[in-house]
Amino acid sequence: MSAELGRTGLQGKISQWLRGRRPKEAAGDGGREALLLAAAAVGLPLAPAAHPAGYRCSCDRVGCPTPARHPVSFAWQTQSTTDRAQIERWARHQPQANFITATGMVHDVMDVPVEAGLEALQRLLDAGIEVGPVAESDDGRLLFFTLTRGTPEDEDEWWPCELDCHPETMDEHPGLRWHCRGSYVLVPPAQLPGDQTVHWVRGLEHPLPDPLSLLEILTDACARYVGEEPDHVSAAWPLRRH
């Protein structure tokens, strides 16, 4: 019981620390547009996404499984752009829309349960390891933005990874999800049903780090979070295909 309380207390302290360091996000539509443009300016390709309609999704799909979390176009991978003028048009013509950022082009995202993510973030900072932008989703996930592993022309040079996550495999990755080529995440600021948000806790002024510099601590924290030994996830390290 004391260990449980100790862990809860640690998470509370880290959460309080994060709130104190959270970048000030400008209010109103102008602030939303400025944050989107800032994301594009550092190379994150963006595309419009659905938004909440009450407790449902703005899309026409009955029983949408990912309300307010998916792109509005099936062509989101080719539609995603960093073009300032295009993003301004989207933001002004679709004032309620969320935006996704396509991963695997410039950046990847390591997406972990918030409890494990907060523990890992503190450990990374204490160890002096460079941590890039981090976003928090109020539904219980922490998103670590990193450099991508790359999209080489030679498929034999691609690094397959058991943690790779695509939109259709989200339920298969309750622990650490590695969003790379073919996946996406919501980019802050985003609104979720139930007055929840996706927001930055470490801003875009932090350079994107190498994903492998974060992976060991993130997988260890996720293993501890689910009560497993870290060795259980060792096979999730990326391996070069031969």
Side-chain angles (χ1 to χ4, degrees), residues 152-172:
E153 294 181 3
D154 183 355
E155 287 294 322
D156 288 337
E157 294 299 309
W158 180 244
W159 284 18
C161 174
E162 290 185 10
L163 298 175
D164 286 353
C165 182
H166 301 279
E168 65 275 10
T169 64
M170 293 285 278
D171 291 342
E172 299 172 13

Side-chain angles (χ1 to χ4, degrees), residues 57-110:
C57 185
S58 62
C59 73
D60 296 329
R61 184 175 179 181
V62 176
C64 175
T66 55
R69 287 186 168 279
H70 60 83
V72 295
S73 171
F74 289 115
W76 58 269
Q77 292 190 70
T78 55
Q79 185 185 51
S80 298
T81 183
T82 59
D83 182 74
R84 180 185 181 94
Q86 180 62 69
I87 292 167
E88 286 176 339
R89 285 193 293 270
W90 281 333
R92 293 171 188 179
H93 294 161
Q94 304 177 53
Q96 293 182 295
N98 288 331
F99 279 76
I100 59 97
T101 177
T103 52
M105 298 180 184
V106 173
H107 71 296
D108 289 351
V109 171
M110 293 185 176

Side-chain angles (χ1 to χ4, degrees), residues 77-224:
Q77 292 190 70
T78 55
Q79 185 185 51
S80 298
T81 183
T82 59
D83 182 74
R84 180 185 181 94
Q86 180 62 69
I87 292 167
E88 286 176 339
R89 285 193 293 270
W90 281 333
R92 293 171 188 179
H93 294 161
Q94 304 177 53
Q96 293 182 295
N98 288 331
F99 279 76
I100 59 97
T101 177
T103 52
M105 298 180 184
V106 173
H107 71 296
D108 289 351
V109 171
M110 293 185 176
D111 168 359
V112 300
V114 68
E115 295 90 348
L118 292 174
E119 177 186 325
L121 178 57
Q122 184 66 70
R123 290 171 60 189
L124 288 163
L125 294 172
D126 288 347
I129 297 173
E130 292 293 330
V131 180
V134 179
E136 181 180 3
S137 178
D138 286 341
D139 63 350
R141 306 291 298 187
L142 214 61
L143 311 177
F144 290 76
F145 285 68
T146 72
L147 293 170
T148 186
R149 287 179 289 163
T151 53
E153 294 181 3
D154 183 355
E155 287 294 322
D156 288 337
E157 294 299 309
W158 180 244
W159 284 18
C161 174
E162 290 185 10
L163 298 175
D164 286 353
C165 182
H166 301 279
E168 65 275 10
T169 64
M170 293 285 278
D171 291 342
E172 299 172 13
H173 296 269
L176 194 157
R177 306 166 180 167
W178 191 330
H179 298 271
C180 53
R181 184 169 50 179
S183 191
Y184 59 80
V185 298
L186 287 176
V187 64
Q191 298 292 321
L192 302 176
D195 293 325
Q196 295 183 322
T197 67
V198 181
H199 48 267
W200 294 114
V201 294
R202 280 175 59 86
L204 293 161
E205 69 274 14
H206 299 283
L208 295 171
D210 185 323
L212 297 184
S213 68
L214 310 184
L215 184 59
E216 182 175 5
I217 289 179
L218 284 173
T219 53
D220 178 68
C222 286
R224 285 151 56 86

Side-chain angles (χ1 to χ4, degrees), residues 9-63:
L10 174 62
Q11 291 167 359
K13 289 180 180 178
I14 298 175
S15 297
Q16 184 178 18
W17 174 83
L18 280 172
R19 284 194 295 270
R21 292 175 58 92
R22 180 179 296 175
K24 294 182 179 178
E25 296 186 358
D29 291 343
R32 165 180 171 267
E33 185 176 313
L35 284 169
L36 293 172
L37 291 173
V42 299
L44 308 189
L46 307 182
H51 60 83
Y55 283 88
R56 299 187 302 175
C57 185
S58 62
C59 73
D60 296 329
R61 184 175 179 181
V62 176

